[in-house]
């Protein structure tokens, strides 16, 4: 058990660090490449919203690393680099987050599914490890089974997140093509968005591997 878990830790660590290095590398490269439009990320986001006729979404300036769409307030928040930046990274990031706003406006099914399971995920992500440890130390198989079921909910959430993120990036790329962004800049934006997608893939893969390990230990 210990050797197999150590192997799992090593594999997942390699996957996670590799994905993080790749995304940081791409973001850094294109964060130094100016876009030809001269628009900041915030301006690009607002123009994309207007292009698709979405008028009820606000764009806010957040803190470092805060790039997200919040369906509760129907708003886009961009980090300072993305909000004020006039780079390929800023444009790609802003358009990706607006892609989520477009999904919300159009009732995109995977986004609705992900939103519906958020409460269960919030509970499961915090409770499963405690149930697992309690089940192991108290030798109560029911607690262990409940922990695995809770973790499976977390894994499901990460798997459902994949099409949501991929589709938002696809919408961003389509928009950048429709407004005539130069091919070289679209390629740079694609590199940035693909790198970010790898982090979601890595997270999902490591979670699936963890779940498979738990199920294997349960059977043993």
């Amino acid at each position: 058990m210990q050797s197999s878990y150590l192997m799992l830790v090593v594999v997942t660590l390699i996957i996670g660090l590799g994905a993080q290095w790749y995304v940081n590398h791409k973001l850094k490269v294109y964060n130094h490449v100016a876009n030809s439009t001269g628009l900041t990320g915030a301006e690009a986001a607002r123009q994309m919203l207007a292009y698709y006729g979405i008028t009820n979404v606000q764009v806010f300036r957040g803190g470092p690393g805060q790039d997200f769409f919040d369906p509760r307030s129907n708003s886009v928040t961009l980090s300072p680099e993305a909000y004020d930046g006039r780079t390929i990274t800023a444009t790609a990031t802003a358009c990706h987050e607006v892609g989520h706003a477009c999904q919300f406006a159009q009732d995109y099914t995977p986004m609705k599914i992900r939103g519906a399971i958020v409460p269960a995920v919030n509970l499961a992500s915090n409770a499963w490890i405690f149930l697992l440890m309690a089940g192991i130390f108290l030798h109560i198989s029911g607690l262990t089974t409940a922990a695995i079921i809770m973790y499976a909910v977390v894994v499901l959430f990460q798997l459902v997140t994949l099409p949501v993120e991929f589709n938002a990036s696809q919408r961003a790329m389509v928009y950048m093509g429709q407004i005539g962004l130069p091919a070289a800049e679209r390629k740079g934006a694609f590199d940035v968005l693909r790198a970010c997608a790898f982090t979601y893939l890595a997270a999902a893969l490591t979670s699936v591997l963890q779940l498979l390990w738990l199920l294997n230990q349960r059977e043993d």
Side-chain angles (χ1 to χ4, degrees):
M1 177 178 177
Q2 290 182 345
S3 61
S4 64
Y5 188 72
L6 180 60
M7 179 63 69
L8 174 66
V9 170
V10 171
V11 170
T12 56
L13 188 62
I14 291 173
I15 293 172
L17 291 177
Q20 196 59 53
W21 175 86
Y22 183 65
V23 69
N24 287 339
H25 172 67
K26 289 299 182 180
L27 290 174
K28 184 176 180 181
V29 167
Y30 290 104
N31 205 35
H32 292 86
V33 180
N35 61 47
S36 60
T37 64
L39 298 174
T40 65
E43 291 167 340
R46 293 186 180 105
Q47 286 200 5
M48 182 173 172
L49 288 167
Y51 183 89
Y52 288 111
I54 301 174
T55 59
N56 60 340
V57 175
Q58 291 183 294
V59 180
F60 297 117
R61 190 177 192 272
Q66 291 185 328
D67 297 297
F68 61 88
F69 168 74
D70 187 349
R72 295 168 300 178
S73 60
N74 198 20
S75 65
V76 168
T77 297
L78 300 174
S79 62
E81 285 189 343
Y83 190 94
D84 300 315
R86 303 175 190 273
T87 65
I88 299 299
T89 294
T91 300
T93 301
C95 290
H96 172 87
E97 298 307 333
V98 172
H100 287 308
C102 293
Q103 292 172 338
F104 185 70
Q106 298 171 5
D107 289 327
Y108 181 60
T109 299
M111 173 177 270
K112 292 174 66 177
I113 294 173
R114 186 177 70 168
I117 64 177
V118 163
V121 172
N122 289 338
L123 172 63
S125 61
N126 294 319
W128 79 270
I129 188 63
F130 297 106
L131 282 179
L132 180 66
M133 298 305 294
I136 292 174
F137 287 117
L138 298 176
H139 302 287
I140 301 176
S141 60
L143 290 179
T144 304
T145 300
I148 294 174
I149 292 173
M150 282 190 167
Y151 190 70
V153 173
V154 176
V155 175
L156 174 63
F157 178 79
Q158 293 185 328
L159 292 176
V160 173
T161 293
L162 293 179
V164 175
E165 295 299 329
F166 295 163
N167 179 261
S169 292
Q170 182 183 29
R171 290 169 186 263
M173 292 305 304
V174 169
Y175 168 72
M176 286 185 277
Q178 289 176 338
I179 64 172
L181 205 67
E185 295 184 29
R186 294 201 305 275
K187 180 184 180 303
F190 179 76
D191 285 348
V192 168
L193 296 175
R194 179 177 57 185
C196 292
F198 281 168
T199 63
Y200 291 101
L201 278 173
L205 178 58
T206 55
S207 294
V208 168
L209 291 175
Q210 175 77 35
L211 178 60
L212 292 175
W213 184 85
L214 289 171
L215 290 171
N216 184 62
Q217 295 304 312
R218 182 77 178 96
E219 291 175 358
D220 293 340

